[in-house]
Amino acid sequence: MEPTVKAFWLPKKGNSIEEYEDAFAYSKRHFAVSDGATESSFAERWAQSLVKKFINTPPAIFQDHGLSFQTWLTPLQEEWHRQIPWKRLPWFAEEKARTGAFATFLGIQFGEAAKRPFHIFDVFRKRRSPNVWQAFAIGDSCLFQVRCNQVLRAFPVEHVDQFRTRPTLISSNPGSNKPVWARLKTTEGDYQPGDVFFFMTDALSEWFMRRSNAQARPWNQLLDIRTETDFALFVSREREQNQLRNDDLTLVVCHWKGNEAS
Amino acid sequence: MPYSAEISRANPSCFIFLIDQSGSMAEPIAGSDGKRKCDSVADAINKLLHNLIIKCARGEGIRNFYEVCVIGYGAEVNPGFSGILAGRDLVPLSEVANSPARVEERTRQVEDGTGKLIHQKVKFPIWFEPVAKGTTPMGQALSLAHQLLERWVPKHMNSYPPIVINITDGEATDSGPIPQAEALCNLETHDGKVMLFNCHISSRSIDPIVFPENDNELPDSFARTLFQVSSPLPEGLRELAKSENFFLGPDARGFAFNADLVELIRFLDIGTRASNLR
């Protein structure tokens, strides 16, 4: 089973393309989304480095419940620090950068059925072991799994009012990450042909959840978006009607096609 | 909903600080070891400008979310920046950041990452110097703020409304503050009226009254007058104040009476954190 993937992004209205501070990356089995905190400096580099490393060398987080994550971050934090042009920075930019960059993170990996440990009961039940996905998250970048025109899973935010609170963020500054370890969320689920996964940063996630709560099936609107122009039109319409908060936007759609009857 | 406009470079907001520089500002402020009121206020304003600049710093520069003005009133009523910015009224924040009058080096205690407290040298830029001389022409200071905002507001109709913060230790010696304050607070953008917050600072160490809803507990007519001309706190600022452990009700006003050093700083912090920065 292979996914079809589409990705779209736009900066906040009023900001330039260079000022877009979200990041996303994906391969066939791994997807990552990160939202660099606008209030911090050099956050876009931090968000970029997190998603890239997740695709190239995912942490063993699903085996050890987060223990390895701290070690996984260390080289990224060192790299971020090395890339800041400290000597050239004016006093305020230096002071700001010393506090570090901050970002949300959502990472998903899709496993294949064959790689799951074989269970003898599967033979008796005459069924295959399911395909399993696993995800972990810090902050309010979200995934939604849609099956048969219904939201099957929403992670890590489950209620729409959670979007207006200040999320915990991963910092490039090791000393600022103490609150992170306890708030790292992990989950897993199964997937099958026909399932669609949406990965998004907070503004679009909030929109999605509100529309979904109102039985408006927002996934159909997002599935209709085929080009960057479609996305830009959709965004400007929703922003004008105050349905979509003015923020950086990232949307990755992962559609598991195949024999959808199975 | 008023007071909800996004603060952006296209639609910046502004702060005006009115600083009492009358002779009595040379007396010590409550809650400090004999530090003069004028020194405490100057430190608080410099620190506040510093924090505002850090908040708006991004990458190698500053985003101009605000224009800032300091007006001193005492022997004279004039813009109060020192050094390169002397004589300037409303200045974009990036220019303020790049033009301190001088930079002092101070030490502060910080955590070293392992939980140990260490002394660290930090740069402390100075834009505003303490002065204590003359009377208290508060009405004139409010009129000057009005003149500046009368020009600023029509050019920024989509902006979050300007906030004027008046810090004083005494009664106005001119016709102020009621008529001038009323005129000032009648200026408005599409997002709401100009806000005036008043902070009375004290030499006496008696409990301050911060963000009151009425004037029942205020001891004299001067305090009641300042309360009367203080703007109600919009919902966003009330929520922020609550999260910073202030107790306040729905009719709370931007007013502090008998503020000591600690309350002065907390008051200013809430007053200048109109959020929704984009």
Side-chain angles (χ1 to χ4, degrees), chain A residues 226-248:
Chain A
R226 293 180 205 288
T227 63
E228 285 175 15
T229 315
D230 292 346
F231 187 64
L233 283 172
F234 156 77
V235 166
S236 75
R237 191 177 58 235
E238 295 299 314
R239 278 179 180 163
E240 263 166 37
Q241 293 170 2
N242 289 324
Q243 299 296 313
L244 186 59
R245 195 150 40 87
N246 188 18
D247 198 352
D248 287 343

PDB file of all heavy atoms in Angstrom, chain A residues 226-248:
ATOM      1  N   ARG A 226      -6.124  21.060  -5.091  1.00  0.00           N
ATOM      2  CA  ARG A 226      -5.172  20.298  -5.902  1.00  0.00           C
ATOM      3  C   ARG A 226      -3.922  21.096  -6.226  1.00  0.00           C
ATOM      4  O   ARG A 226      -2.868  20.536  -6.455  1.00  0.00           O
ATOM      5  CB  ARG A 226      -5.830  19.859  -7.211  1.00  0.00           C
ATOM      6  CG  ARG A 226      -6.924  18.851  -6.964  1.00  0.00           C
ATOM      7  CD  ARG A 226      -7.611  18.375  -8.228  1.00  0.00           C
ATOM      8  NE  ARG A 226      -8.951  17.911  -7.910  1.00  0.00           N
ATOM      9  CZ  ARG A 226      -9.224  16.789  -7.259  1.00  0.00           C
ATOM     10  NH1 ARG A 226      -8.237  16.002  -6.854  1.00  0.00           N
ATOM     11  NH2 ARG A 226     -10.464  16.446  -6.988  1.00  0.00           N
ATOM     12  N   THR A 227      -4.047  22.427  -6.266  1.00  0.00           N
ATOM     13  CA  THR A 227      -2.892  23.240  -6.654  1.00  0.00           C
ATOM     14  C   THR A 227      -2.642  24.313  -5.592  1.00  0.00           C
ATOM     15  O   THR A 227      -3.498  24.554  -4.736  1.00  0.00           O
ATOM     16  CB  THR A 227      -3.182  23.967  -7.990  1.00  0.00           C
ATOM     17  OG1 THR A 227      -4.291  24.856  -7.756  1.00  0.00           O
ATOM     18  CG2 THR A 227      -3.531  23.006  -9.094  1.00  0.00           C
ATOM     19  N   GLU A 228      -1.485  24.944  -5.716  1.00  0.00           N
ATOM     20  CA  GLU A 228      -1.170  26.042  -4.792  1.00  0.00           C
ATOM     21  C   GLU A 228      -2.191  27.164  -4.914  1.00  0.00           C
ATOM     22  O   GLU A 228      -2.539  27.822  -3.938  1.00  0.00           O
ATOM     23  CB  GLU A 228       0.232  26.580  -5.068  1.00  0.00           C
ATOM     24  CG  GLU A 228       1.296  25.632  -4.559  1.00  0.00           C
ATOM     25  CD  GLU A 228       2.696  26.076  -4.917  1.00  0.00           C
ATOM     26  OE1 GLU A 228       2.886  27.244  -5.316  1.00  0.00           O
ATOM     27  OE2 GLU A 228       3.610  25.229  -4.798  1.00  0.00           O
ATOM     28  N   THR A 229      -2.656  27.386  -6.134  1.00  0.00           N
ATOM     29  CA  THR A 229      -3.665  28.432  -6.339  1.00  0.00           C
ATOM     30  C   THR A 229      -4.960  28.083  -5.612  1.00  0.00           C
ATOM     31  O   THR A 229      -5.572  28.942  -4.971  1.00  0.00           O
ATOM     32  CB  THR A 229      -3.956  28.605  -7.850  1.00  0.00           C
ATOM     33  OG1 THR A 229      -2.714  28.625  -8.527  1.00  0.00           O
ATOM     34  CG2 THR A 229      -4.738  29.851  -8.131  1.00  0.00           C
ATOM     35  N   ASP A 230      -5.364  26.800  -5.705  1.00  0.00           N
ATOM     36  CA  ASP A 230      -6.563  26.369  -4.963  1.00  0.00           C
ATOM     37  C   ASP A 230      -6.388  26.675  -3.473  1.00  0.00           C
ATOM     38  O   ASP A 230      -7.307  27.167  -2.811  1.00  0.00           O
ATOM     39  CB  ASP A 230      -6.785  24.846  -5.078  1.00  0.00           C
ATOM     40  CG  ASP A 230      -7.175  24.409  -6.480  1.00  0.00           C
ATOM     41  OD1 ASP A 230      -7.523  25.285  -7.291  1.00  0.00           O
ATOM     42  OD2 ASP A 230      -7.120  23.191  -6.743  1.00  0.00           O
ATOM     43  N   PHE A 231      -5.201  26.337  -2.961  1.00  0.00           N
ATOM     44  CA  PHE A 231      -4.950  26.524  -1.524  1.00  0.00           C
ATOM     45  C   PHE A 231      -5.011  28.012  -1.155  1.00  0.00           C
ATOM     46  O   PHE A 231      -5.648  28.403  -0.184  1.00  0.00           O
ATOM     47  CB  PHE A 231      -3.588  25.922  -1.147  1.00  0.00           C
ATOM     48  CG  PHE A 231      -3.323  25.925   0.342  1.00  0.00           C
ATOM     49  CD1 PHE A 231      -4.116  25.192   1.212  1.00  0.00           C
ATOM     50  CD2 PHE A 231      -2.265  26.662   0.879  1.00  0.00           C
ATOM     51  CE1 PHE A 231      -3.881  25.182   2.588  1.00  0.00           C
ATOM     52  CE2 PHE A 231      -2.013  26.663   2.251  1.00  0.00           C
ATOM     53  CZ  PHE A 231      -2.823  25.924   3.103  1.00  0.00           C
ATOM     54  N   ALA A 232      -4.363  28.844  -1.983  1.00  0.00           N
ATOM     55  CA  ALA A 232      -4.345  30.286  -1.708  1.00  0.00           C
ATOM     56  C   ALA A 232      -5.758  30.868  -1.724  1.00  0.00           C
ATOM     57  O   ALA A 232      -6.109  31.708  -0.886  1.00  0.00           O
ATOM     58  CB  ALA A 232      -3.448  30.994  -2.726  1.00  0.00           C
ATOM     59  N   LEU A 233      -6.579  30.394  -2.658  1.00  0.00           N
ATOM     60  CA  LEU A 233      -7.959  30.883  -2.738  1.00  0.00           C
ATOM     61  C   LEU A 233      -8.768  30.461  -1.513  1.00  0.00           C
ATOM     62  O   LEU A 233      -9.486  31.257  -0.905  1.00  0.00           O
ATOM     63  CB  LEU A 233      -8.651  30.341  -4.002  1.00  0.00           C
ATOM     64  CG  LEU A 233      -8.268  31.035  -5.294  1.00  0.00           C
ATOM     65  CD1 LEU A 233      -8.852  30.288  -6.491  1.00  0.00           C
ATOM     66  CD2 LEU A 233      -8.748  32.487  -5.280  1.00  0.00           C
ATOM     67  N   PHE A 234      -8.604  29.202  -1.156  1.00  0.00           N
ATOM     68  CA  PHE A 234      -9.290  28.673   0.025  1.00  0.00           C
ATOM     69  C   PHE A 234      -8.903  29.488   1.267  1.00  0.00           C
ATOM     70  O   PHE A 234      -9.753  29.930   2.041  1.00  0.00           O
ATOM     71  CB  PHE A 234      -8.919  27.186   0.197  1.00  0.00           C
ATOM     72  CG  PHE A 234      -9.046  26.672   1.597  1.00  0.00           C
ATOM     73  CD1 PHE A 234     -10.293  26.369   2.133  1.00  0.00           C
ATOM     74  CD2 PHE A 234      -7.909  26.482   2.394  1.00  0.00           C
ATOM     75  CE1 PHE A 234     -10.401  25.883   3.436  1.00  0.00           C
ATOM     76  CE2 PHE A 234      -8.013  26.011   3.689  1.00  0.00           C
ATOM     77  CZ  PHE A 234      -9.267  25.713   4.221  1.00  0.00           C
ATOM     78  N   VAL A 235      -7.593  29.736   1.423  1.00  0.00           N
ATOM     79  CA  VAL A 235      -7.094  30.448   2.603  1.00  0.00           C
ATOM     80  C   VAL A 235      -7.613  31.884   2.631  1.00  0.00           C
ATOM     81  O   VAL A 235      -8.102  32.354   3.663  1.00  0.00           O
ATOM     82  CB  VAL A 235      -5.543  30.423   2.639  1.00  0.00           C
ATOM     83  CG1 VAL A 235      -5.001  31.415   3.646  1.00  0.00           C
ATOM     84  CG2 VAL A 235      -5.056  29.017   2.944  1.00  0.00           C
ATOM     85  N   SER A 236      -7.545  32.565   1.485  1.00  0.00           N
ATOM     86  CA  SER A 236      -7.951  33.971   1.533  1.00  0.00           C
ATOM     87  C   SER A 236      -9.451  34.076   1.799  1.00  0.00           C
ATOM     88  O   SER A 236      -9.895  34.971   2.514  1.00  0.00           O
ATOM     89  CB  SER A 236      -7.524  34.728   0.272  1.00  0.00           C
ATOM     90  OG  SER A 236      -8.342  34.372  -0.782  1.00  0.00           O
ATOM     91  N   ARG A 237     -10.240  33.126   1.295  1.00  0.00           N
ATOM     92  CA  ARG A 237     -11.681  33.153   1.544  1.00  0.00           C
ATOM     93  C   ARG A 237     -11.973  32.926   3.032  1.00  0.00           C
ATOM     94  O   ARG A 237     -12.711  33.673   3.656  1.00  0.00           O
ATOM     95  CB  ARG A 237     -12.364  32.077   0.699  1.00  0.00           C
ATOM     96  CG  ARG A 237     -13.875  32.162   0.672  1.00  0.00           C
ATOM     97  CD  ARG A 237     -14.471  31.097  -0.240  1.00  0.00           C
ATOM     98  NE  ARG A 237     -14.075  29.759   0.192  1.00  0.00           N
ATOM     99  CZ  ARG A 237     -13.471  28.862  -0.584  1.00  0.00           C
ATOM    100  NH1 ARG A 237     -13.179  29.157  -1.827  1.00  0.00           N
ATOM    101  NH2 ARG A 237     -13.155  27.679  -0.123  1.00  0.00           N
ATOM    102  N   GLU A 238     -11.326  31.925   3.619  1.00  0.00           N
ATOM    103  CA  GLU A 238     -11.594  31.609   5.023  1.00  0.00           C
ATOM    104  C   GLU A 238     -11.081  32.714   5.949  1.00  0.00           C
ATOM    105  O   GLU A 238     -11.674  33.002   6.976  1.00  0.00           O
ATOM    106  CB  GLU A 238     -10.968  30.261   5.408  1.00  0.00           C
ATOM    107  CG  GLU A 238     -11.575  29.066   4.684  1.00  0.00           C
ATOM    108  CD  GLU A 238     -13.066  28.880   4.955  1.00  0.00           C
ATOM    109  OE1 GLU A 238     -13.481  28.956   6.123  1.00  0.00           O
ATOM    110  OE2 GLU A 238     -13.827  28.660   3.980  1.00  0.00           O
ATOM    111  N   ARG A 239      -9.935  33.322   5.571  1.00  0.00           N
ATOM    112  CA  ARG A 239      -9.422  34.431   6.390  1.00  0.00           C
ATOM    113  C   ARG A 239     -10.352  35.630   6.326  1.00  0.00           C
ATOM    114  O   ARG A 239     -10.623  36.273   7.332  1.00  0.00           O
ATOM    115  CB  ARG A 239      -8.014  34.830   5.924  1.00  0.00           C
ATOM    116  CG  ARG A 239      -6.907  33.952   6.484  1.00  0.00           C
ATOM    117  CD  ARG A 239      -5.551  34.396   5.960  1.00  0.00           C
ATOM    118  NE  ARG A 239      -4.471  33.569   6.482  1.00  0.00           N
ATOM    119  CZ  ARG A 239      -3.249  33.521   5.964  1.00  0.00           C
ATOM    120  NH1 ARG A 239      -2.959  34.254   4.891  1.00  0.00           N
ATOM    121  NH2 ARG A 239      -2.323  32.753   6.490  1.00  0.00           N
ATOM    122  N   GLU A 240     -10.830  35.922   5.115  1.00  0.00           N
ATOM    123  CA  GLU A 240     -11.727  37.075   4.969  1.00  0.00           C
ATOM    124  C   GLU A 240     -12.994  36.908   5.794  1.00  0.00           C
ATOM    125  O   GLU A 240     -13.526  37.866   6.336  1.00  0.00           O
ATOM    126  CB  GLU A 240     -12.117  37.254   3.496  1.00  0.00           C
ATOM    127  CG  GLU A 240     -11.268  38.269   2.783  1.00  0.00           C
ATOM    128  CD  GLU A 240     -11.456  38.180   1.286  1.00  0.00           C
ATOM    129  OE1 GLU A 240     -12.593  37.925   0.853  1.00  0.00           O
ATOM    130  OE2 GLU A 240     -10.457  38.364   0.563  1.00  0.00           O
ATOM    131  N   GLN A 241     -13.449  35.682   5.898  1.00  0.00           N
ATOM    132  CA  GLN A 241     -14.681  35.435   6.661  1.00  0.00           C
ATOM    133  C   GLN A 241     -14.398  35.174   8.142  1.00  0.00           C
ATOM    134  O   GLN A 241     -15.273  34.715   8.881  1.00  0.00           O
ATOM    135  CB  GLN A 241     -15.430  34.241   6.058  1.00  0.00           C
ATOM    136  CG  GLN A 241     -15.961  34.553   4.675  1.00  0.00           C
ATOM    137  CD  GLN A 241     -16.492  33.324   3.956  1.00  0.00           C
ATOM    138  OE1 GLN A 241     -16.506  32.232   4.508  1.00  0.00           O
ATOM    139  NE2 GLN A 241     -16.902  33.497   2.717  1.00  0.00           N
ATOM    140  N   ASN A 242     -13.147  35.454   8.532  1.00  0.00           N
ATOM    141  CA  ASN A 242     -12.716  35.270   9.929  1.00  0.00           C
ATOM    142  C   ASN A 242     -12.928  33.848  10.441  1.00  0.00           C
ATOM    143  O   ASN A 242     -13.153  33.622  11.625  1.00  0.00           O
ATOM    144  CB  ASN A 242     -13.443  36.249  10.869  1.00  0.00           C
ATOM    145  CG  ASN A 242     -12.948  37.660  10.658  1.00  0.00           C
ATOM    146  OD1 ASN A 242     -11.755  37.869  10.398  1.00  0.00           O
ATOM    147  ND2 ASN A 242     -13.853  38.616  10.736  1.00  0.00           N
ATOM    148  N   GLN A 243     -12.850  32.894   9.535  1.00  0.00           N
ATOM    149  CA  GLN A 243     -12.980  31.493   9.946  1.00  0.00           C
ATOM    150  C   GLN A 243     -11.611  30.903  10.268  1.00  0.00           C
ATOM    151  O   GLN A 243     -11.511  29.889  10.942  1.00  0.00           O
ATOM    152  CB  GLN A 243     -13.610  30.657   8.818  1.00  0.00           C
ATOM    153  CG  GLN A 243     -14.998  31.110   8.434  1.00  0.00           C
ATOM    154  CD  GLN A 243     -15.981  30.937   9.586  1.00  0.00           C
ATOM    155  OE1 GLN A 243     -16.026  29.891  10.214  1.00  0.00           O
ATOM    156  NE2 GLN A 243     -16.741  31.974   9.888  1.00  0.00           N
ATOM    157  N   LEU A 244     -10.568  31.576   9.737  1.00  0.00           N
ATOM    158  CA  LEU A 244      -9.210  31.026   9.842  1.00  0.00           C
ATOM    159  C   LEU A 244      -8.306  32.099  10.432  1.00  0.00           C
ATOM    160  O   LEU A 244      -8.184  33.180   9.879  1.00  0.00           O
ATOM    161  CB  LEU A 244      -8.743  30.633   8.422  1.00  0.00           C
ATOM    162  CG  LEU A 244      -7.433  29.910   8.255  1.00  0.00           C
ATOM    163  CD1 LEU A 244      -7.423  28.600   9.031  1.00  0.00           C
ATOM    164  CD2 LEU A 244      -7.191  29.622   6.775  1.00  0.00           C
ATOM    165  N   ARG A 245      -7.693  31.785  11.571  1.00  0.00           N
ATOM    166  CA  ARG A 245      -6.821  32.734  12.256  1.00  0.00           C
ATOM    167  C   ARG A 245      -5.621  33.088  11.375  1.00  0.00           C
ATOM    168  O   ARG A 245      -5.094  32.236  10.658  1.00  0.00           O
ATOM    169  CB  ARG A 245      -6.327  32.070  13.547  1.00  0.00           C
ATOM    170  CG  ARG A 245      -5.721  32.941  14.565  1.00  0.00           C
ATOM    171  CD  ARG A 245      -5.962  32.356  15.957  1.00  0.00           C
ATOM    172  NE  ARG A 245      -5.826  30.919  16.018  1.00  0.00           N
ATOM    173  CZ  ARG A 245      -4.662  30.293  16.235  1.00  0.00           C
ATOM    174  NH1 ARG A 245      -3.563  30.973  16.358  1.00  0.00           N
ATOM    175  NH2 ARG A 245      -4.635  28.978  16.312  1.00  0.00           N
ATOM    176  N   ASN A 246      -5.209  34.346  11.405  1.00  0.00           N
ATOM    177  CA  ASN A 246      -4.062  34.763  10.601  1.00  0.00           C
ATOM    178  C   ASN A 246      -2.780  34.251  11.221  1.00  0.00           C
ATOM    179  O   ASN A 246      -2.306  34.768  12.232  1.00  0.00           O
ATOM    180  CB  ASN A 246      -4.025  36.293  10.467  1.00  0.00           C
ATOM    181  CG  ASN A 246      -2.957  36.737   9.478  1.00  0.00           C
ATOM    182  OD1 ASN A 246      -2.492  35.940   8.662  1.00  0.00           O
ATOM    183  ND2 ASN A 246      -2.555  37.996   9.566  1.00  0.00           N
ATOM    184  N   ASP A 247      -2.224  33.220  10.627  1.00  0.00           N
ATOM    185  CA  ASP A 247      -1.028  32.577  11.153  1.00  0.00           C
ATOM    186  C   ASP A 247      -0.365  31.858   9.971  1.00  0.00           C
ATOM    187  O   ASP A 247      -0.977  31.726   8.909  1.00  0.00           O
ATOM    188  CB  ASP A 247      -1.465  31.551  12.218  1.00  0.00           C
ATOM    189  CG  ASP A 247      -0.319  31.142  13.126  1.00  0.00           C
ATOM    190  OD1 ASP A 247       0.838  31.527  12.856  1.00  0.00           O
ATOM    191  OD2 ASP A 247      -0.585  30.418  14.098  1.00  0.00           O
ATOM    192  N   ASP A 248       0.875  31.390  10.155  1.00  0.00           N
ATOM    193  CA  ASP A 248       1.466  30.525   9.142  1.00  0.00           C
ATOM    194  C   ASP A 248       0.602  29.278   9.016  1.00  0.00           C
ATOM    195  O   ASP A 248       0.046  28.803  10.015  1.00  0.00           O
ATOM    196  CB  ASP A 248       2.877  30.092   9.573  1.00  0.00           C
ATOM    197  CG  ASP A 248       3.886  31.229   9.458  1.00  0.00           C
ATOM    198  OD1 ASP A 248       3.592  32.223   8.772  1.00  0.00           O
ATOM    199  OD2 ASP A 248       4.970  31.107  10.052  1.00  0.00           O
TER     200      ASP A 248
END
